[in-house]
Amino acid sequence: SATTTRPPRATPMLILATSCAALTAPAAVAPSPCLIAPASVADTFERKELASLLMSSFYGTPEAWRGPIAWAQRAIIEADVVNDLTQRLEFYAANPGTVLTARDPASGALLGFADVGLSAYDVARSQYRLPGARADDEGGGGATVARPYLSNLAVDPESRKRGVGRMLVRACEEEVRGWGALDAEPEPTRVWLEVSEDNEAAVSFYERLGYTREGESLGREVRQRAFHFDVGNVRRLVLAKSLPET
């Protein structure tokens, strides 16, 4: 019988750091109405719903030809995503940050979601993580500064080209504006994010929304192979956008 191989466990800011890497080209039509609302820390079903959408957005629909190992690993990764979302929502309950959902106003169907929080930026490692979370490599975390960080932007594949991603990004920016002045970040406040450097569509999407390239980073992400998943290093572009004062 086949042996199930579990990929290395995803730590916060690992799987979900691919957030910005899973986007398609910007919407070509006027945005469709949708309801933007924060996810609930108490709603277990909603967290599972978010994790399922993220997996479909990043890795597509499960396909039988990939075999039992890929199917088993996918289930494990999705459970890890649920746990990661739980940690984030619990952290955001007492700290700046939120997971924003977009739903169809008529049916209530989940169309997408995004995560924005005041993350710890490890200067030495060029790495973002929730405050208190361990660094991806050994030796512990170095000196950090707090930065508003947008991640986990995922849109249901059947709901793309409708402006859902743009509305979620704008809502995340408004969330950051609501935090007021940040002592750790020079004025004006900037929102930061990362995109896999080979994802030209995602880079174009964010540049159209006013984000500019600020540097590069190296991070670990879960990757889908033909018959399994693994974790590997991925080069990313670091983008940022200054939020004008209102």
Side-chain angles (χ1 to χ4, degrees), residues 105-220:
S107 67
L110 181 66
L111 306 178
F113 74 96
D115 177 315
V116 64
L118 192 59
S119 296
Y121 176 68
D122 189 318
V123 179
R125 295 177 174 82
S126 300
Q127 179 184 103
Y128 290 89
R129 62 181 186 272
L130 293 181
R134 72 171 181 83
D136 282 350
D137 53 356
E138 296 180 357
T144 63
V145 295
R147 285 180 174 178
Y149 183 74
L150 192 159
S151 63
N152 308 335
L153 177 55
V155 175
D156 176 61
E158 295 184 0
S159 301
R160 291 173 179 169
K161 307 287 186 177
R162 294 171 53 185
V164 175
R166 283 186 289 168
M167 285 186 278
L168 283 166
V169 171
R170 298 301 190 199
C172 286
E173 294 170 356
E174 289 303 314
E175 167 71 17
V176 173
R177 284 193 182 94
W179 300 346
L182 300 174
D183 294 337
E185 183 74 14
E187 294 294 341
T189 296
R190 291 194 288 178
V191 177
W192 298 78
L193 57 87
E194 295 171 289
V195 184
S196 296
E197 67 176 3
D198 61 354
N199 193 329
E200 297 178 1
V203 174
S204 176
F205 171 86
Y206 285 109
E207 288 181 336
R208 288 171 183 265
L209 294 180
Y211 287 81
T212 58
R213 305 183 189 197
E214 299 291 332
E216 297 182 355
S217 65
L218 183 66
R220 292 174 61 78

Side-chain angles (χ1 to χ4, degrees), residues 8-20:
R9 181 176 178 81
T11 56
M13 298 294 179
L14 174 57
I15 290 180
L16 305 184
T18 50
S19 59
C20 309

